Amino acid sequence: MKHDRKSSSRLGGLFHRRFVPMRWAVGGLLIGLFVVGCDRAPSDFSAKTFRLDAALVAGARATVRDEYGRRIARLERQPGDPDLLASLATFYHANDFVAAAISAYDELRRRDPKNPDWPYRSALIYAQGSESQEALRELAVATALRPDFALAWWRTGALLSYTADKTAAAAAFQKALHADPQLAHAHVGLARLDLAIGNTEAACGELLRAIEIDPEFSTSYNLLAQAYRSLGRENEAREIERLPVSRHRHRDPIDPVVDTLREACFDVAQLRVAADMEFTSLHLERAIPLLERASRLEPDNAGVALALAKVYLADEQAEQAFPWLEKAIAKAPLFPEAHYVLAYERRRLGQGPAAIKAVTRGIDLNPDDASLRHLRGLCHVDTDEVAAAAADFAYAIELSPRNLTYLLALADIRWAAGLQDDAATLYARAADVAPLAVRPRLALAQLHLEKGELEKAHSWIVEAARVDPSSPEPNRMQAKYLVRLGMKQLHESQTAGAVDAFEMALQLRPDYLPALESLCLACLQADRSDEAISVLQRFIEANPKLAKPHYLLAVLRLEQGGSQDARDHLTAGVDLARESGDTATLSKIQNLQDSLAVAP
């Protein structure tokens, strides 16, 4: 059997997915513990499996080597002890010594042939190594020994799903549900098979049952959205995709065997991978103990401290996270990410001075880190230190000239300072850097609108709509453009064209008050007050919570002599203005009411 120790660079840490997922969920469940490729060990290998073999652990971390020595020593004191044999076999499996693990499990099966755990564990190793036939063979032994072994049946179904024998896969999932009706993953397995043959309605039923059992299982939502879309139920599909849970990472069912393996793992890199998998599937309560264990094994590991801090932050335990961030910085002062996370969280909590202090400390140690410069710029924006913010954003751009976020930050500062040409140049650079970004294009459109350059503005609006047809923002900007265009036409006495522009703006944004006011003005200038009143009435029906249309309608009614109707609209407008906090409209209404009160 081949044995290939994975280096730490292949494993990565929390939030850094440097490992490659296997083709199905079993690969993830074993926390990246095992190498690909696992041939059956020679029959005489088990004889040395339970003796000290320094070469076996030569490339392992010190924590793994030390624990290996302790377990071997205990077994040497009590040769043949079944619990100690099982403990050593679990250690081999958990710490990536797969050849020794298979051999040890074979020996345990020889001594205890009725125990389904040993073939099940061997199946996990083979499945991780993409040796499906060997894994299925071992799972068949496990389920024969224990017919109600739900997880073994589920794994059997999952493996068979990738073969031509879909009927056997479905049968395995059914047996898993017979053994454990609350196993949501088996319902999802059946749904996948139904979707593959076009039995979409049945798939929806299975997925809804899975969601009922486990509302936090993201794969159920993703597949249900896919099923709804294939049935033409697009709105329901989009509604599901908007749910936060649909963006979580797939996870396997909780498996006591895997939990046991994790407890026997002394490789910090692998524990971090395990924690990452729990974190990205939002099992924070399972990620924290893994990282705490990793920290106990390697107290000086800054990466572990940072990962643990991030999990605490995700769990909204900032006060628990801050000591771990400080520890990460103390152990690795040149670790910019730790500085960044600490300063970012201080700022998020409104602790401005502490945030500035934290990010400045990070910059002093990492002067050429663009992300830290950008973050300090944001802190300066919070305190209205515009010049300092602009300097930090500009330096960040020097360090990373094609970063969209940095370009937009400096462009916004320039625009706010009235430097429209500088802002336009930066937005244009941002648009060039990000060919599919809507924001710089809409910013350029707004800038040109403000300068009265309507054709240029319109071209950028069209460009924004092209790069992201699903975004509502181009339509909103188009409504602004149409109002500006209509006002220009109105000033040029092109009343009919202005009315068309304002009406098109209201079609794009039915609640857009500037378009409504402009349309009313155009109608009045054309001596079409009845049409203006009709427009206002339709607007009020569509937007019953806005005060200003009532004020405008009251003014028109007064001009027509309908004082009582005007008073009714003013009364309604007062209530709505107070509810919405529209003090400007409230003031206008009250002034008009006062004038009506003293009128003869």
Side-chain angles (χ1 to χ4, degrees):
M1 180 192 298
K2 293 181 285 186
H3 173 72
D4 175 22
R5 288 287 309 174
K6 290 192 292 287
S7 67
S8 60
S9 64
R10 287 179 57 192
L11 291 164
L14 194 63
F15 317 120
H16 297 284
R17 300 181 188 176
R18 298 175 188 162
F19 56 92
V20 178
M22 299 305 296
R23 60 181 180 175
W24 66 292
V26 165
L29 186 142
L30 296 184
I31 66 171
L33 294 177
F34 322 119
V35 296
V36 175
C38 178
D39 304 324
R40 171 67 67 172
S43 59
D44 62 344
F45 187 83
S46 62
K48 65 177 182 179
T49 301
F50 300 107
R51 296 199 305 268
L52 183 64
D53 183 0
L56 183 67
V57 296
R61 299 172 91 101
T63 51
V64 175
R65 295 196 305 272
D66 292 347
E67 180 61 20
Y68 172 66
R70 284 190 289 270
R71 296 198 182 209
I72 288 290
R74 286 195 293 269
L75 189 58
E76 287 177 344
R77 288 194 297 270
Q78 302 179 60
D81 184 289
D83 292 336
L84 293 179
L85 291 174
S87 173
L88 186 58
T90 302
F91 172 84
Y92 286 142
H93 188 166
N95 293 279
D96 203 13
F97 304 111
V98 292
I102 288 289
S103 182
Y105 288 149
D106 283 349
E107 177 63 17
L108 289 166
R109 289 166 69 176
R110 187 184 66 78
R111 296 171 180 237
D112 184 9
K114 300 296 185 182
N115 191 332
D117 280 355
W118 311 134
Y120 179 72
R121 293 187 182 204
S122 294
L124 297 183
I125 295 177
Y126 286 124
Q128 178 68 20
S130 298
E131 298 186 58
S132 300
Q133 292 305 312
E134 289 80 356
L136 286 168
R137 180 194 65 216
E138 299 289 8
L139 288 169
V141 175
T143 52
L145 292 170
R146 182 181 159 193
D148 64 346
F149 201 158
L151 287 175
W153 283 119
W154 170 71
R155 294 188 187 284
T156 300
L159 283 170
L160 288 171
S161 296
Y162 290 93
T163 70
D165 199 348
K166 309 298 185 186
T167 302
F173 287 135
Q174 292 288 2
K175 289 179 180 179
L177 286 171
H178 180 74
D180 181 3
Q182 298 300 304
L183 187 55
H185 289 68
H187 285 289
V188 169
L190 289 170
R192 287 186 189 277
L193 294 174
D194 285 328
L195 286 173
I197 61 173
N199 195 1
T200 311
E201 293 287 358
C204 289
E206 295 289 354
L207 293 168
L208 289 170
R209 177 63 180 139
I211 290 170
E212 180 184 346
I213 294 170
D214 186 354
E216 299 300 319
F217 186 23
S218 63
T219 306
S220 305
Y221 295 90
N222 295 330
L223 290 175
L224 186 59
Q226 176 186 328
Y228 281 159
R229 188 162 281 117
S230 68
L231 291 172
R233 296 158 67 176
E234 182 66 27
N235 289 338
E236 291 171 273
R238 289 181 179 176
E239 185 176 340
I240 287 173
E241 289 171 341
R242 284 193 291 267
L243 296 173
V245 68
S246 70
R247 293 186 288 275
H248 300 163
R249 181 175 170 178
H250 172 85
R251 58 176 170 80
D252 283 352
I254 293 174
D255 188 334
V257 170
V258 173
D259 287 343
T260 299
L261 291 171
R262 288 174 172 177
E263 291 170 4
C265 180
F266 285 77
D267 189 317
V268 168
Q270 294 178 27
L271 289 171
R272 288 183 64 186
V273 172
D276 175 57
M277 298 184 71
E278 298 292 0
F279 175 84
T280 52
S281 62
L282 285 199
H283 277 181
L284 305 183
E285 75 287 353
R286 291 172 61 81
I288 288 172
L290 290 167
L291 290 169
E292 288 177 338
R293 173 174 163 76
S295 182
R296 288 193 297 272
L297 290 171
E298 293 186 5
D300 294 334
N301 190 314
V304 171
L306 176 60
L308 189 50
K310 286 184 176 180
V311 177
Y312 277 126
L313 290 171
D315 202 29
E316 299 182 355
Q317 298 186 57
E319 294 308 315
Q320 287 283 85
F322 288 144
W324 288 103
L325 288 168
E326 293 289 1
K327 180 176 180 179
I329 291 169
K331 298 299 180 183
L334 300 181
F335 196 179
E337 188 179 2
H339 293 283
Y340 183 94
V341 173
L342 178 59
Y344 177 91
E345 289 301 321
R346 293 291 190 193
R347 176 176 180 254
R348 185 181 66 84
L349 294 172
Q351 302 171 6
I356 285 282
K357 179 180 179 181
V359 73
T360 300
R361 176 176 57 169
I363 289 172
D364 290 343
L365 294 166
N366 305 272
D368 291 334
D369 188 277
S371 63
L372 290 173
R373 294 280 180 175
H374 172 252
L375 180 56
R376 190 169 69 177
L378 295 176
C379 292
H380 286 313
V381 169
D382 295 340
T383 55
D384 294 325
E385 298 174 86
V386 177
D392 273 324
F393 293 150
Y395 198 89
I397 291 171
E398 284 184 34
L399 295 168
S400 185
R402 297 184 62 79
N403 185 289
L404 175 65
T405 301
Y406 306 160
L407 287 166
L408 291 176
L410 185 57
D412 292 344
I413 285 278
R414 298 299 191 209
W415 191 358
L419 303 172
Q420 290 184 327
D421 291 340
D422 287 353
T425 300
L426 288 162
Y427 285 128
R429 282 180 61 187
D432 179 62
V433 163
L436 299 181
V438 169
R439 185 154 114 70
R441 289 162 172 79
L442 292 181
L444 285 163
Q446 181 65 37
L447 277 170
H448 288 302
L449 282 178
E450 291 182 2
K451 296 167 70 174
E453 299 169 345
L454 299 186
E455 290 186 8
K456 289 182 178 179
H458 187 251
S459 68
W460 281 111
I461 294 169
V462 171
E463 176 70 6
R466 182 191 65 79
V467 300
D468 188 358
S470 65
S471 172
E473 293 306 315
N475 278 348
R476 299 176 70 84
M477 187 62 71
Q478 178 77 349
K480 287 185 179 181
Y481 159 76
L482 288 168
V483 169
R484 294 292 183 96
L485 178 63
M487 292 303 296
K488 180 175 181 291
Q489 292 172 327
L490 202 59
H491 292 149
E492 296 171 351
S493 300
Q494 300 177 29
T495 308
V499 168
D500 289 343
F502 299 142
E503 286 180 340
M504 284 190 289
L506 282 172
Q507 288 174 5
L508 291 171
R509 294 180 62 182
D511 61 344
Y512 192 34
L513 277 173
L516 174 69
E517 293 179 276
S518 301
L519 180 57
C520 290
L521 177 63
C523 289
L524 290 173
Q525 284 193 9
D527 198 21
R528 293 155 57 180
S529 59
D530 288 341
E531 186 175 338
I533 289 172
S534 176
V535 168
L536 283 166
Q537 288 173 334
R538 292 198 308 270
F539 191 91
I540 289 171
E541 289 176 7
N543 304 276
K545 298 295 185 181
L546 297 177
K548 195 163 190 178
H550 288 278
Y551 168 73
L552 295 172
L553 189 52
V555 171
L556 289 176
R557 286 300 193 193
L558 284 172
E559 289 184 358
Q560 292 183 333
S563 59
Q564 184 55 52
D565 192 27
R567 285 186 171 90
D568 291 342
H569 280 290
L570 291 174
T571 300
V574 166
D575 294 337
L576 290 170
R578 284 173 175 161
E579 288 175 10
S580 63
D582 185 356
T583 56
T585 301
L586 180 61
S587 177
K588 290 180 180 179
I589 292 174
Q590 289 174 335
N591 289 338
L592 188 54
Q593 286 177 322
D594 292 343
S595 66
L596 288 173
V598 299

